[in-house]
Amino acid sequence: MLFIDANHLKYINDNFGHDMGNLAISSIASVIQQHCPDNSVSMRYGGDKFVCVIPDYDQTQLQNLKQNLLDSLATLSRNSRMAFPIEASIGFVVADNSVFSLNDYINLADEKMYTDKKIVKPDGKIHIRLPFSDGHSLVTVVFEIFS
């Protein structure tokens, strides 16, 4: 199961209008539809979130799908003429234990997605993309963790 969250939607809506926010959401939905297998079920799950349930996928397949989605969004963002990036954070879980409900798995994938949003890079620092003060650019803010 994948849990996908559109990044920067508030920034896009506030600075470029809700039509552009809708375009970002529909662009992400199109990428999901293109890459998720035919036997999967994908749905919008609230304003800027999506859930994709994929039968019989293991950890490696989900990781590969996640990377394919991110790569496709990066290509779309690079090739578009939009003044903002089309990006998403993605969390996933293998739903292989009948003790947990669908809702439990959605919540677990959601937690992993939020971890993905605030990812610690190999340099040991946290990298987060935020709107710049000009209201139109995004900047990566790097936080160093001291112990």
Side-chain angles (χ1 to χ4, degrees), residues 38-124:
D38 291 337
N39 66 338
S40 66
V41 177
S42 300
M43 67 210 83
R44 190 167 172 192
Y45 188 78
D48 61 348
K49 296 173 179 27
F50 301 87
V51 171
C52 185
V53 179
I54 309 165
D56 305 319
Y57 257 46
D58 62 23
Q59 190 83 11
T60 301
Q61 290 170 302
L62 288 169
Q63 181 60 49
N64 290 339
L65 178 57
K66 173 184 173 177
Q67 193 57 55
N68 289 339
L69 290 167
L70 294 174
D71 291 346
S72 186
L73 287 172
T75 299
L76 175 67
S77 192
R78 242 186 343 271
N79 294 337
S80 76
R81 304 179 109 198
M82 291 183 244
F84 51 84
I86 299 173
E87 299 177 335
S89 296
I90 304 172
F92 64 86
V93 293
V94 176
D96 59 356
N97 188 334
S98 62
V99 171
F100 297 109
S101 69
L102 176 61
N103 216 28
D104 292 333
Y105 281 116
I106 289 172
N107 290 333
L108 287 170
D110 181 33
E111 287 175 25
K112 291 188 177 223
M113 180 275 302
Y114 276 106
T115 301
D116 188 59
K117 260 193 190 297
K118 296 179 250 175
I119 191 158
V120 177
K121 301 289 184 174
D123 63 5

Side-chain angles (χ1 to χ4, degrees), residues 5-22:
D5 181 54
N7 291 345
H8 324 298
L9 190 62
K10 180 173 178 6
Y11 166 78
I12 294 168
N13 285 337
D14 290 350
N15 291 282
F16 303 100
H18 289 270
D19 286 344
M20 290 291 108
N22 289 339

